[in-house]
Amino acid sequence: MTTKVFIVIVSYNGMTWLRRCLKSCGSYDVIIVDNNSNDGTVPFIKSTFPEFVLLEQNENLGFGAANNIGISEALKNGADYVFLLNQDAYMEKYTLEKLIGIHSRNPDFGILSPIHLNGSGTQLDHNFSKYIKLNNALQSDFLTQSFSQQIYEVPFVNAAAWLLPRGTLEKVGGFDPIFYHYSEDVNYCQRVIFHNFKIGIVPETHILHDRELRSKLKITNTSENLAYFERSLKQSWANINIEIESQVRIKKQIIVKTILKSILKFRFYEVLGNLHKYRRLNHILPEILNSRKKNIKIGLHYLNE
Protein backbone atom coordinates (compact mmCIF):
# COMPACT_ATOMS: atom_id res chain seq x y z
CA MET A 1 0.00 0.00 0.00
CA THR A 2 1.34 3.46 -0.95
CA THR A 3 1.91 5.87 1.92
CA LYS A 4 0.11 9.16 1.33
CA VAL A 5 2.08 12.20 2.48
CA PHE A 6 1.11 15.85 2.27
CA ILE A 7 3.33 18.84 2.98
CA VAL A 8 1.41 21.75 4.55
CA ILE A 9 2.89 25.25 4.32
CA VAL A 10 1.37 28.43 5.73
CA SER A 11 2.37 31.44 3.67
CA TYR A 12 2.23 35.11 4.55
CA ASN A 13 4.21 37.67 2.56
CA GLY A 14 6.86 35.03 2.02
CA MET A 15 8.33 35.97 -1.34
CA THR A 16 11.81 36.15 0.21
CA TRP A 17 11.79 32.38 0.72
CA LEU A 18 8.94 30.74 -1.17
CA ARG A 19 10.64 29.86 -4.45
CA ARG A 20 13.36 27.91 -2.68
CA CYS A 21 10.97 26.47 -0.08
CA LEU A 22 8.46 25.15 -2.62
CA LYS A 23 11.15 23.88 -4.97
CA SER A 24 12.61 21.84 -2.09
CA CYS A 25 9.29 19.96 -1.76
CA GLY A 26 10.05 17.98 -4.89
CA SER A 27 7.21 15.80 -6.18
CA TYR A 28 5.26 15.60 -2.92
CA ASP A 29 1.65 16.73 -2.64
CA VAL A 30 1.75 20.24 -1.22
CA ILE A 31 -1.05 22.25 0.37
CA ILE A 32 -0.38 25.96 0.84
CA VAL A 33 -2.64 28.01 3.08
CA ASP A 34 -2.10 31.70 2.36
CA ASN A 35 -2.95 34.15 5.14
CA ASN A 36 -4.01 37.01 2.85
CA SER A 37 -0.54 37.97 1.60
CA ASN A 38 -0.13 41.31 -0.19
CA ASP A 39 3.38 40.90 -1.61
CA GLY A 40 2.55 38.89 -4.73
CA THR A 41 2.73 35.48 -3.01
CA VAL A 42 -0.58 34.21 -4.39
CA PRO A 43 -0.03 35.02 -8.09
CA PHE A 44 3.54 33.69 -7.78
CA ILE A 45 2.33 30.33 -6.47
CA LYS A 46 -0.43 30.09 -9.07
CA SER A 47 1.92 30.79 -11.98
CA THR A 48 5.06 28.97 -10.81
CA PHE A 49 3.66 26.00 -8.86
CA PRO A 50 0.19 25.38 -10.31
CA GLU A 51 0.34 21.72 -9.32
CA PHE A 52 0.17 22.65 -5.61
CA VAL A 53 -3.13 23.13 -3.81
CA LEU A 54 -3.52 26.77 -2.76
CA LEU A 55 -6.14 27.67 -0.16
CA GLU A 56 -6.50 31.45 -0.07
CA GLN A 57 -7.77 33.11 3.10
CA ASN A 58 -9.44 36.52 3.33
CA GLU A 59 -7.59 37.45 6.51
CA ASN A 60 -4.47 36.54 8.45
CA LEU A 61 -5.69 33.65 10.59
CA GLY A 62 -2.36 33.14 12.33
CA PHE A 63 -0.04 30.13 12.20
CA GLY A 64 -2.11 27.54 14.06
CA ALA A 65 -5.52 28.16 12.51
CA ALA A 66 -4.07 28.25 8.99
CA ASN A 67 -2.20 25.00 9.57
CA ASN A 68 -5.43 23.43 10.81
CA ILE A 69 -7.05 24.24 7.45
CA GLY A 70 -4.17 22.62 5.57
CA ILE A 71 -4.09 19.57 7.85
CA SER A 72 -7.86 19.12 7.48
CA GLU A 73 -7.51 19.19 3.70
CA ALA A 74 -4.73 16.60 3.84
CA LEU A 75 -6.73 14.28 6.08
CA LYS A 76 -9.78 14.65 3.85
CA ASN A 77 -7.62 13.38 0.99
CA GLY A 78 -6.44 10.33 2.90
CA ALA A 79 -3.11 11.50 4.33
CA ASP A 80 -1.14 8.95 6.34
CA TYR A 81 1.36 11.66 7.27
CA VAL A 82 1.31 15.45 7.28
CA PHE A 83 4.60 17.32 7.20
CA LEU A 84 4.41 20.91 8.45
CA LEU A 85 7.05 23.10 6.83
CA ASN A 86 7.66 26.80 7.47
CA GLN A 87 7.67 29.09 4.45
CA ASP A 88 11.22 30.14 5.41
CA ALA A 89 12.52 26.56 5.59
CA TYR A 90 13.93 24.25 2.92
CA MET A 91 13.98 20.47 2.87
CA GLU A 92 17.06 18.50 1.98
CA LYS A 93 16.75 15.55 -0.36
CA TYR A 94 15.35 12.38 1.26
CA THR A 95 14.54 14.19 4.54
CA LEU A 96 10.91 13.19 4.44
CA GLU A 97 11.53 9.64 3.26
CA LYS A 98 13.92 9.04 6.15
CA LEU A 99 11.56 10.51 8.73
CA ILE A 100 8.68 8.33 7.53
CA GLY A 101 10.85 5.21 7.44
CA ILE A 102 12.04 5.79 10.99
CA HIS A 103 8.53 6.51 12.25
CA SER A 104 7.23 3.29 10.71
CA ARG A 105 9.60 1.45 13.04
CA ASN A 106 8.88 3.73 16.01
CA PRO A 107 5.12 4.38 16.05
CA ASP A 108 5.16 5.55 19.68
CA PHE A 109 6.48 8.91 18.47
CA GLY A 110 3.77 11.47 17.79
CA ILE A 111 6.09 14.13 16.32
CA LEU A 112 9.38 13.67 14.51
CA SER A 113 11.63 16.54 13.51
CA PRO A 114 14.85 16.72 11.52
CA ILE A 115 17.83 18.74 12.64
CA HIS A 116 17.30 22.45 11.84
CA LEU A 117 20.31 24.16 10.30
CA ASN A 118 20.56 27.85 9.48
CA GLY A 119 19.67 29.19 6.04
CA SER A 120 23.07 28.47 4.58
CA GLY A 121 23.40 25.05 6.22
CA THR A 122 26.68 25.98 7.88
CA GLN A 123 25.59 25.62 11.50
CA LEU A 124 22.63 24.88 13.75
CA ASP A 125 19.69 27.22 13.69
CA HIS A 126 20.16 29.38 16.78
CA ASN A 127 16.83 28.54 18.45
CA PHE A 128 17.07 24.87 17.53
CA SER A 129 20.38 24.61 19.37
CA LYS A 130 18.41 25.16 22.59
CA TYR A 131 16.25 22.10 21.93
CA ILE A 132 19.29 19.87 21.43
CA LYS A 133 20.29 20.75 24.99
CA LEU A 134 17.04 19.19 26.22
CA ASN A 135 18.60 15.76 25.66
CA ASN A 136 22.08 15.26 27.14
CA ALA A 137 22.90 12.34 24.86
CA LEU A 138 21.93 14.28 21.75
CA GLN A 139 23.95 17.30 22.83
CA SER A 140 27.01 15.13 23.46
CA ASP A 141 26.63 13.10 20.26
CA PHE A 142 26.08 16.21 18.17
CA LEU A 143 29.41 17.63 19.29
CA THR A 144 31.21 14.50 18.12
CA GLN A 145 28.89 13.91 15.14
CA SER A 146 28.67 10.30 16.25
CA PHE A 147 25.03 9.47 16.83
CA SER A 148 24.21 6.43 18.95
CA GLN A 149 20.43 6.63 18.42
CA GLN A 150 18.11 6.95 15.44
CA ILE A 151 15.77 9.18 17.47
CA TYR A 152 16.50 11.36 20.47
CA GLU A 153 13.50 12.06 22.65
CA VAL A 154 12.86 15.70 23.66
CA PRO A 155 9.93 17.44 25.38
CA PHE A 156 9.71 20.12 22.69
CA VAL A 157 10.85 21.06 19.22
CA ASN A 158 9.46 24.00 17.28
CA ALA A 159 6.99 23.41 14.45
CA ALA A 160 9.13 24.62 11.54
CA ALA A 161 9.42 21.00 10.32
CA TRP A 162 7.13 18.49 11.97
CA LEU A 163 6.21 15.04 10.73
CA LEU A 164 2.75 14.31 12.10
CA PRO A 165 1.37 10.80 11.64
CA ARG A 166 -2.36 10.47 11.10
CA GLY A 167 -2.62 8.67 14.44
CA THR A 168 -1.29 11.73 16.26
CA LEU A 169 -3.81 14.02 14.58
CA GLU A 170 -6.73 11.66 15.23
CA LYS A 171 -5.89 11.48 18.92
CA VAL A 172 -4.53 14.97 19.69
CA GLY A 173 -6.25 17.09 17.03
CA GLY A 174 -4.91 20.33 15.56
CA PHE A 175 -3.50 23.54 16.97
CA ASP A 176 -5.55 25.15 19.73
CA PRO A 177 -7.10 28.43 18.49
CA ILE A 178 -6.53 30.18 21.83
CA PHE A 179 -3.03 30.79 20.40
CA TYR A 180 -3.00 33.17 17.44
CA HIS A 181 0.75 33.26 16.83
CA TYR A 182 3.56 31.94 19.06
CA SER A 183 3.24 29.22 21.73
CA GLU A 184 0.81 27.11 19.67
CA ASP A 185 3.57 24.56 19.07
CA VAL A 186 4.49 24.53 22.79
CA ASN A 187 0.88 23.75 23.63
CA TYR A 188 0.68 21.07 20.97
CA CYS A 189 3.77 19.31 22.33
CA GLN A 190 2.24 19.41 25.81
CA ARG A 191 -0.87 17.70 24.46
CA VAL A 192 1.12 15.12 22.51
CA ILE A 193 2.92 14.11 25.70
CA PHE A 194 -0.35 14.00 27.67
CA HIS A 195 -1.78 11.56 25.13
CA ASN A 196 1.20 9.22 25.60
CA PHE A 197 3.15 9.98 22.46
CA LYS A 198 6.84 10.88 22.35
CA ILE A 199 8.53 13.76 20.53
CA GLY A 200 11.78 13.05 18.74
CA ILE A 201 14.63 14.57 16.75
CA VAL A 202 16.13 12.43 13.98
CA PRO A 203 19.81 13.43 13.58
CA GLU A 204 20.41 11.93 10.13
CA THR A 205 17.83 14.27 8.57
CA HIS A 206 18.02 18.04 8.04
CA ILE A 207 16.11 21.12 6.97
CA LEU A 208 17.46 24.63 6.55
CA HIS A 209 15.61 27.31 8.51
CA ASP A 210 16.35 30.64 6.90
CA ARG A 211 15.26 33.01 9.64
CA GLU A 212 18.30 35.30 9.75
CA LEU A 213 16.43 37.99 7.78
CA ARG A 214 13.48 38.03 10.16
CA SER A 215 13.32 40.85 12.68
CA LYS A 216 13.13 39.92 16.34
CA LEU A 217 9.96 40.62 18.29
CA LYS A 218 10.34 43.56 20.67
CA ILE A 219 7.85 44.64 23.29
CA THR A 220 7.49 48.40 22.98
CA ASN A 221 4.15 49.42 24.54
CA THR A 222 1.50 48.53 27.10
CA SER A 223 -0.68 46.70 24.59
CA GLU A 224 2.17 44.42 23.49
CA ASN A 225 3.16 43.85 27.13
CA LEU A 226 -0.39 42.69 27.92
CA ALA A 227 -0.40 40.43 24.85
CA TYR A 228 2.86 38.85 26.04
CA PHE A 229 1.41 38.47 29.55
CA GLU A 230 -1.67 36.75 28.12
CA ARG A 231 0.35 34.41 25.93
CA SER A 232 2.58 33.43 28.86
CA LEU A 233 -0.41 32.57 31.02
CA LYS A 234 -2.05 30.56 28.26
CA GLN A 235 1.16 28.66 27.55
CA SER A 236 1.55 27.77 31.21
CA TRP A 237 -2.06 27.18 32.25
CA ALA A 238 -3.30 25.42 29.11
CA ASN A 239 -0.74 22.70 29.83
CA ILE A 240 -2.98 19.71 30.56
CA ASN A 241 -0.10 17.78 32.15
CA ILE A 242 -0.33 19.92 35.31
CA GLU A 243 -2.98 21.14 37.72
CA ILE A 244 -3.36 24.92 37.74
CA GLU A 245 -5.80 25.79 40.53
CA SER A 246 -3.09 26.82 43.00
CA GLN A 247 -1.10 28.63 40.30
CA VAL A 248 -4.11 30.77 39.42
CA ARG A 249 -4.77 31.62 43.05
CA ILE A 250 -1.14 32.55 43.74
CA LYS A 251 -0.86 34.65 40.57
CA LYS A 252 -3.94 36.66 41.53
CA GLN A 253 -2.58 37.21 45.05
CA ILE A 254 0.75 38.44 43.69
CA ILE A 255 -0.91 40.95 41.38
CA VAL A 256 -3.18 42.27 44.15
CA LYS A 257 -0.23 42.68 46.54
CA THR A 258 1.73 44.49 43.82
CA ILE A 259 -1.18 46.87 43.24
CA LEU A 260 -1.45 47.67 46.97
CA LYS A 261 2.29 48.34 47.25
CA SER A 262 2.18 50.62 44.23
CA ILE A 263 -0.72 52.57 45.73
CA LEU A 264 1.22 53.14 48.96
CA LYS A 265 4.17 54.43 46.93
CA PHE A 266 1.92 56.61 44.74
CA ARG A 267 3.06 54.76 41.62
CA PHE A 268 -0.28 55.03 39.88
CA TYR A 269 1.08 54.08 36.46
CA GLU A 270 2.10 50.71 37.96
CA VAL A 271 -1.32 50.41 39.59
CA LEU A 272 -3.02 50.89 36.23
CA GLY A 273 -0.73 48.39 34.49
CA ASN A 274 -1.37 45.68 37.05
CA LEU A 275 -5.11 46.35 37.05
CA HIS A 276 -5.02 45.69 33.32
CA LYS A 277 -3.18 42.43 33.98
CA TYR A 278 -5.70 41.36 36.63
CA ARG A 279 -8.60 42.05 34.30
CA ARG A 280 -6.89 40.27 31.41
CA LEU A 281 -6.24 37.23 33.62
CA ASN A 282 -9.92 37.00 34.60
CA HIS A 283 -10.97 37.52 30.98
CA ILE A 284 -8.89 34.67 29.54
CA LEU A 285 -9.27 32.17 32.39
CA PRO A 286 -12.62 30.72 31.16
CA GLU A 287 -11.07 30.28 27.70
CA ILE A 288 -8.12 28.41 29.20
CA LEU A 289 -10.37 26.18 31.31
CA ASN A 290 -12.51 25.31 28.27
CA SER A 291 -9.33 24.52 26.32
CA ARG A 292 -8.10 22.17 29.04
CA LYS A 293 -11.47 20.41 29.22
CA LYS A 294 -11.47 19.81 25.48
CA ASN A 295 -7.83 18.84 25.02
CA ILE A 296 -7.78 16.06 27.59
CA LYS A 297 -10.22 14.20 25.34
CA ILE A 298 -9.24 12.17 22.29
CA GLY A 299 -10.40 13.50 18.94
CA LEU A 300 -9.83 15.60 15.85
CA HIS A 301 -10.15 18.82 17.80
CA TYR A 302 -9.98 22.02 15.70
CA LEU A 303 -9.82 19.98 12.47
CA ASN A 304 -12.79 19.78 10.10
CA GLU A 305 -14.76 21.89 12.58
Side-chain angles (χ1 to χ4, degrees), residues 4-15:
K4 294 196 73 172
V5 186
F6 288 81
I7 299 173
V8 171
I9 299 168
V10 173
S11 62
Y12 178 69
N13 292 342
M15 285 302 298

Side-chain angles (χ1 to χ4, degrees), residues 188-304:
Y188 198 84
C189 286
Q190 293 166 350
R191 291 159 54 202
V192 164
I193 291 170
F194 177 85
H195 288 290
N196 299 312
F197 288 112
K198 299 176 183 178
I199 301 163
I201 293 173
V202 179
E204 67 172 286
T205 61
H206 304 85
I207 57 116
L208 278 61
H209 195 174
D210 193 6
R211 65 166 115 204
E212 287 88 348
L213 297 178
R214 283 166 47 184
S215 58
K216 294 183 178 179
L217 179 68
K218 294 182 180 179
I219 298 173
T220 58
N221 56 47
T222 301
S223 176
E224 290 176 354
N225 185 58
L226 277 174
Y228 178 79
F229 173 76
E230 176 179 326
R231 190 168 69 247
S232 297
L233 290 185
K234 287 180 176 179
Q235 179 177 313
S236 176
W237 291 349
N239 182 1
I240 54 179
N241 296 287
I242 62 171
E243 296 298 327
I244 65 166
E245 185 176 344
S246 62
Q247 289 190 27
V248 173
R249 184 179 65 253
I250 291 169
K251 188 67 174 180
K252 286 184 175 182
Q253 290 172 349
I254 290 172
I255 294 176
V256 169
K257 287 180 181 179
T258 302
I259 290 172
L260 293 175
K261 287 181 181 178
S262 296
I263 290 173
L264 292 174
K265 295 179 180 179
F266 301 102
R267 295 176 178 172
F268 297 114
Y269 181 81
E270 293 179 2
V271 172
L272 184 61
N274 281 291
L275 279 173
H276 284 315
K277 286 185 175 181
Y278 193 83
R279 289 171 183 153
R280 183 67 65 93
L281 186 159
N282 284 321
H283 177 73
I284 66 173
L285 187 56
E287 184 181 25
I288 292 171
L289 294 176
N290 286 335
S291 165
R292 292 174 59 87
K293 185 177 180 180
K294 186 170 190 173
N295 290 335
I296 62 174
K297 299 176 182 177
I298 292 173
L300 285 162
H301 309 310
Y302 321 118
L303 301 173
N304 297 311

